[in-house]
Amino acid sequence: MSDSDRGAAGRSQGEMAPLSAITLSVNDQVRRLEVDPRTSLLDALREHLRLTGTKKGCDHGQCGACTVLINGRRVNSCLTLAVMHEGDEVVTIEGLGDPDDLHPMQRAFVDCDGFQCGYCTPGQICSAVGMLTEVEAAWPSHATADVAASRIALSDEEIRERMSGNICRCAAYPNIVAAIRGVAEGGPA
């Protein structure tokens, strides 16, 4: 048994790991934290930075309630460690817009009634913003008819496939699709 194995085996379950000092850029603000290196990005956002818009749903990456944007790409924040994102640009629902100046996707969700209870809405909106970036970059999905095309036709089927990682228990899916379509088409939702 190595020294590190003996040290880990000798530690009681109540003992904490040494804290890691990290610097995150969250919603265009530099934030310094000291966290247990096993802290998920979701818990760092909610518990350490008090940004509670990002929701904890399943804590297994299956529901999408915790979706945030990292360097413009959508990520389930429950499945990634905060220490892995030193120097990354993290955007939560709070960073997309505010009540007086909503992001177009936030406005579309309101206008199309793309939510009911609202629990999944922050993750849905962040995912939709990231998804439209993927479409602009011509990244194909399972539903893409022509994977070699330089422009992807954003059908309802394509939107549903790309948003399939975000579950809405209230089943507001038709309104969510309408909101995303409205933003994608650049007009009122």
Side-chain angles (χ1 to χ4, degrees):
M1 187 181 273
S2 72
D3 288 339
S4 62
D5 290 338
R6 272 191 287 275
R11 247 187 265 152
S12 72
Q13 286 188 350
E15 272 186 64
M16 291 186 54
L19 298 180
S20 295
I22 60 171
T23 302
L24 299 174
S25 175
V26 180
N27 301 331
D28 293 325
Q29 291 184 338
V30 175
R31 308 295 296 266
R32 289 174 181 75
L33 301 169
E34 285 195 8
V35 296
D36 182 307
R38 300 167 292 188
T39 302
S40 69
L41 179 58
L42 172 61
D43 287 338
L45 293 170
R46 288 184 59 79
E47 306 302 326
H48 295 270
L49 298 177
R50 300 290 183 229
L51 294 169
T52 57
T54 305
K55 302 300 185 216
K56 184 177 280 204
C58 66
D59 223 9
H60 294 285
Q62 297 176 345
C63 73
C66 67
T67 305
V68 297
L69 299 170
I70 299 177
N71 299 327
R73 295 191 60 187
R74 53 191 173 152
V75 174
N76 289 341
S77 61
C78 72
L79 293 181
T80 188
L81 300 174
V83 296
M84 296 169 60
H85 297 288
E86 181 94 27
D88 288 343
E89 295 291 325
V90 179
V91 177
T92 68
I93 192 69
E94 293 94 344
L96 284 179
D98 60 59
D100 296 325
D101 185 27
L102 295 176
H103 182 279
M105 191 63 72
Q106 291 171 313
R107 170 60 46 213
F109 266 66
V110 171
D111 292 347
C112 292
D113 197 22
F115 55 90
Q116 287 183 20
C117 79
Y119 195 82
C120 73
T121 304
Q124 295 274 0
I125 290 172
C126 285
S127 187
V129 169
M131 183 267 295
L132 290 180
T133 301
E134 295 166 8
V135 169
E136 282 181 29
W139 292 0
S141 78
H142 178 70
T144 304
D146 181 3
V147 297
S150 61
R151 189 165 189 278
I152 294 174
L154 198 57
S155 65
D156 287 357
E157 180 184 12
E158 185 78 35
I159 293 171
R160 285 191 300 269
E161 170 63 26
R162 290 174 180 271
M163 292 297 292
S164 65
N166 291 82
I167 295 171
C168 174
R169 292 187 176 135
C170 301
Y173 297 116
N175 300 349
I176 292 168
V177 170
I180 294 168
R181 172 166 301 294
V183 172
E185 292 174 352

